[in-house]
Amino acid sequence: QITSRLADVFNQRCEVNRRASVSGCVINTCGWVKSSGYQALVHAASAFEVDVVAVLDQERLYNELKRDLPHFVRTVLLPKSGGVVERSKDFRRECRDERIREYFYGFRGCFYPHAFDVKFSDVKIYKVGAPTIPDSCLPLGMSQEDNQLKLVPVTPGRDMVHHLLSVSTADGPDDNISETSVAGFIVVTGVDLERQVFTVLSPAPRPLPKNFLLIMDIRFMDLK
């Protein structure tokens, strides 16, 4: 659903921007190529109506995509350069933390982010996705609903510390927050339950541009 929305936005841009329409786009996917990851690859190819798919050193994935993608999609198998190794989980985590740090502090610390308090009552916090209910717990005749994109309200608490939050540009909960663009990102550095406020690190000064926030599983500890 989110990928389809992203493709729609890109197509809208192409309609008003001739240069973007002529050049098209390059979709850089992740290394998750099995099960749901593979389905995500096929869906992205369909949503963006891609005409060329380049597979790097994964012959099985190449054959599966050749089988499942439309015949007009050119699928190419490319060899991996000599000496290239797969990145470890720890290395990927360090790279992710470094990108988050650059978002707030800039390259080599050229930016100066802002720290300020946000009242619990001034914002609405949600997470995307709800736990799946076992079929045995459903009322008779009820079918399982897709909870992957369901918005679940989150009560502010100490467990938010170090979590990254995206600031949605939605004006209300009826705006389909999970598909709405984000104005930017903040990270929670502290929670004060007595004062009912939490402290955030933000690339822009207060106040927050909107009051609808989405909490992520991604954590960032500002140790440097």
Side-chain angles (χ1 to χ4, degrees):
Q1 186 176 354
I2 295 176
T3 303
S4 298
R5 174 59 180 158
L6 184 61
D8 290 340
V9 172
F10 175 75
N11 289 332
Q12 291 173 20
R13 181 189 178 194
C14 289
E15 291 176 1
V16 298
N17 187 322
R18 183 175 178 274
R19 180 175 296 179
S21 180
V22 171
S23 62
C25 70
V26 176
I27 305 171
N28 184 18
T29 62
C30 70
W32 185 24
V33 298
K34 296 181 179 179
S35 186
S36 298
Y38 177 75
Q39 296 303 320
L41 293 177
V42 174
H43 175 61
S46 173
F48 281 88
E49 299 179 342
V50 300
D51 50 8
V52 177
V53 175
V55 181
L56 183 63
D57 196 45
Q58 290 272 354
E59 189 168 351
R60 178 178 176 180
L61 176 62
Y62 166 77
N63 290 325
E64 290 175 343
L65 291 173
K66 285 279 288 185
R67 178 195 66 203
D68 296 334
L69 293 180
H71 68 279
F72 59 82
V73 178
R74 183 187 176 196
T75 306
V76 182
L77 180 63
L78 300 176
K80 183 170 63 176
S81 300
V84 173
V85 296
E86 209 170 297
R87 298 183 303 168
S88 67
K89 186 175 181 179
D90 290 339
F91 182 82
R92 294 198 306 271
R93 184 185 297 112
E94 290 175 6
C95 288
R96 184 191 66 198
D97 288 345
E98 193 58 38
R99 297 293 82 75
I100 297 173
R101 185 172 291 105
E102 283 186 8
Y103 175 80
F104 290 103
Y105 291 98
F107 183 65
R108 294 183 179 177
C110 59
F111 296 156
Y112 298 92
H114 303 263
F116 52 86
D117 292 339
V118 178
K119 294 181 180 179
F120 290 178
S121 58
D122 287 345
V123 295
K124 300 291 185 182
I125 304 175
Y126 298 91
K127 68 176 181 179
V128 179
T132 302
I133 302 174
D135 292 336
S136 58
C137 297
L138 294 174
L140 189 63
M142 291 285 289
S143 59
Q144 186 76 252
E145 65 174 323
D146 186 5
N147 290 331
Q148 288 184 326
L149 296 177
K150 185 176 182 179
L151 281 181
V152 181
V154 174
T155 302
R158 289 195 176 94
D159 55 349
M160 290 196 331
V161 176
H162 304 310
H163 273 277
L164 222 63
L165 304 176
S166 59
V167 183
S168 173
T169 58
D171 293 320
D174 296 332
D175 282 358
N176 199 346
I177 296 175
S178 62
E179 291 187 12
T180 306
S181 300
V182 298
F185 302 91
I186 57 178
V187 63
V188 179
T189 57
V191 176
D192 190 327
L193 295 178
E194 291 185 6
R195 296 171 52 221
Q196 293 286 286
V197 300
F198 58 93
T199 305
V200 301
L201 189 70
S202 169
R206 72 174 78 202
L208 294 175
K210 297 287 184 176
N211 60 350
F212 291 96
L213 308 176
L214 291 174
I215 189 168
M216 310 180 197
D217 290 333
I218 298 175
R219 293 171 180 256
F220 171 67
M221 298 183 68
D222 189 18
L223 299 177
K224 291 186 179 181

